[in-house]
């Protein structure tokens, strides 16, 4: 395990998928030019539709489709590990999709797949969201993946609120979380939840968000960030499109875990 430079990409995804694809290509190239080894995209990067059902038209079968081909090509072109935020994959029925995080290695090969398990629902302050209307829930906890000698855990957005979900993926060194937190819930809870997951798992956290007011009127919280195993924020982009990077250092991981060996003290 050696020091890595990680990058988190923040978008304000459009209702037009072509606009979003060009933004992703540009920002991934920017991250790679900054020396990033790993790049994380946000949830729903291909589209933030006028209607929740708009994403159904983009659903692809796993292993085949333009969104997957694009991410594989970007990983290979830039020689990075690309954590592909989330894209719509075909579900069991045509009226729902799977909200899926695919990870691509430096050769463009798909290393892992995770289908979002916890589906967001919120009503209040003039907002209402019910992901279960258009998304089929995943049915498994992903095993920890590995790239460049680092073990990674995965979650998508609302998963962040369920600490036992990540405990079940132990052992891991880095937690990757693409998201599209609403402004309301993000302002209240985003940072504290991310720092809690970093501290309790003594791991780095890389979180990528949607960050601004979208063409459909929805406002997302942004604040894409990278956090170290002690809970310190190493980099943060509050709002708007862009990239931030930080180094993941194995010695920092070892120091935190040796001085306070909480992971070894777990009983349950």
């Amino acid at each position: 395990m050696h020091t890595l430079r990680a990058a988190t990409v923040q978008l304000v995804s459009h209702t037009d998928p072509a606009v979003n694809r060009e933004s992703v290509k540009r920002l991934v190239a920017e991250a790679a030019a900054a020396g990033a080894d790993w790049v994380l995209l946000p949830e729903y990067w291909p589209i933030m539709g006028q209607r929740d059902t708009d994403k159904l038209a983009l659903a692809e079968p796993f292993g085949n489709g333009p969104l997957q081909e694009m991410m594989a090509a970007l990983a290979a072109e830039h020689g990075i590990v690309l954590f592909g935020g989330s894209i719509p994959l075909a579900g069991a029925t045509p009226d729902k999709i799977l909200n899926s995080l695919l990870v691509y290695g430096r050769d463009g090969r798909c290393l892992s797949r995770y289908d979002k398990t916890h589906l967001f629902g919120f009503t209040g302050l003039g907002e209402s969201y019910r992901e279960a209307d258009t998304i089929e829930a995943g049915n498994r906890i992903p095993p920890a993946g590995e790239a460049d000698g680092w073990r990674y855990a995965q979650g998508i957005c609302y998963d962040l609120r369920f600490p036992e979900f990540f405990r079940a993926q132990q052992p891991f060194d880095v937690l990757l979380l693409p998201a599209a937190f609403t402004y309301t819930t993000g302002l209240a809870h985003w940072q504290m939840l991310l720092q809690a997951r970093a501290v309790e798992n003594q791991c780095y956290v890389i979180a990528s968000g949607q960050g601004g007011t979208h063409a459909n009127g929805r406002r997302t919280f942004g604040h894409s960030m990278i956090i170290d195993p002690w809970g310190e924020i190493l980099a943060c982009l509050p709002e708007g499109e862009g990239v931030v990077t930080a180094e993941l250092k194995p010695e920092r991981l070892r120091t935190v875990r040796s001085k306070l060996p909480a992971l070894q003290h777990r009983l349950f």
Side-chain angles (χ1 to χ4, degrees):
M1 194 161 65
H2 57 85
T3 298
L4 293 177
R5 180 159 293 276
T8 179
V9 170
Q10 185 161 286
L11 293 174
V12 187
S13 285
H14 199 273
T15 54
D16 183 351
V19 172
N20 302 326
R21 289 195 296 271
E22 291 308 307
S23 294
V24 164
K25 290 175 184 177
R26 172 173 50 83
L27 292 169
V28 168
E30 181 181 325
D37 300 291
W38 288 13
V39 179
L40 174 65
L41 303 179
E43 185 184 27
Y44 294 134
W45 69 259
I47 188 170
M48 292 288 277
Q50 289 288 355
R51 297 167 299 277
D52 285 346
T53 53
D54 288 353
K55 58 184 174 288
L56 302 179
L58 298 184
E60 301 178 354
F62 177 54
N64 182 40
L67 297 175
Q68 293 168 82
E69 291 167 4
M70 175 184 148
M71 290 192 295
L74 283 173
E77 176 187 355
H78 296 292
I80 58 172
V81 178
L82 181 64
F83 295 82
S86 76
I87 67 165
L89 292 184
T93 61
D95 61 338
K96 291 188 178 183
I97 56 99
L98 291 158
N99 189 9
S100 302
L101 166 58
L102 304 179
V103 181
Y104 293 88
R106 299 176 191 277
D107 58 358
R109 181 173 58 89
C110 186
L111 301 179
S112 64
R113 167 186 173 178
Y114 165 61
D115 302 327
K116 186 176 183 179
T117 303
H118 300 97
L119 301 184
F120 179 59
F122 175 79
T123 302
L125 302 175
E127 299 175 278
S128 181
Y129 303 98
R130 183 177 163 81
E131 287 189 325
D133 289 344
T134 55
I135 297 174
E136 176 186 331
N139 59 9
R140 71 181 184 97
I141 294 172
E146 185 171 330
D148 297 325
W150 289 74
R151 299 164 299 182
Y152 62 84
Q154 306 163 75
I156 299 175
C157 201
Y158 192 47
D159 288 331
L160 179 61
R161 294 184 180 272
F162 302 91
E164 68 278 10
F165 176 78
F166 300 104
R167 285 294 204 193
Q169 297 182 55
Q170 285 282 3
F172 58 86
D173 309 306
V174 189
L175 190 162
L176 282 297
L177 189 100
F181 255 58
T182 70
Y183 185 83
T184 301
T185 59
L187 182 63
H189 301 141
W190 171 253
Q191 182 176 318
M192 73 169 73
L193 288 170
L194 289 172
Q195 288 178 299
R197 298 296 86 83
V199 169
E200 71 198 10
N201 290 292
Q202 298 187 314
C203 70
Y204 283 96
V205 170
I206 308 170
S208 175
Q210 297 277 352
T213 301
H214 302 261
N216 63 8
R218 178 175 175 177
R219 187 179 181 188
T220 46
F221 186 62
H223 291 77
S224 298
M225 61 180 69
I226 301 173
I227 303 171
D228 87 349
W230 195 246
E232 295 181 3
I233 297 172
L234 304 179
C236 178
L237 178 60
E239 200 166 28
E241 284 192 352
V243 176
V244 291
T245 73
E247 286 191 335
L248 311 187
K249 300 178 178 180
E251 58 269 25
R252 178 61 166 165
L253 203 64
R254 287 192 291 267
T255 296
V256 169
R257 291 177 174 181
S258 62
K259 287 185 175 180
L260 179 63
L263 295 177
Q264 297 178 34
H265 295 161
R266 286 176 59 205
L267 298 177
F268 305 104

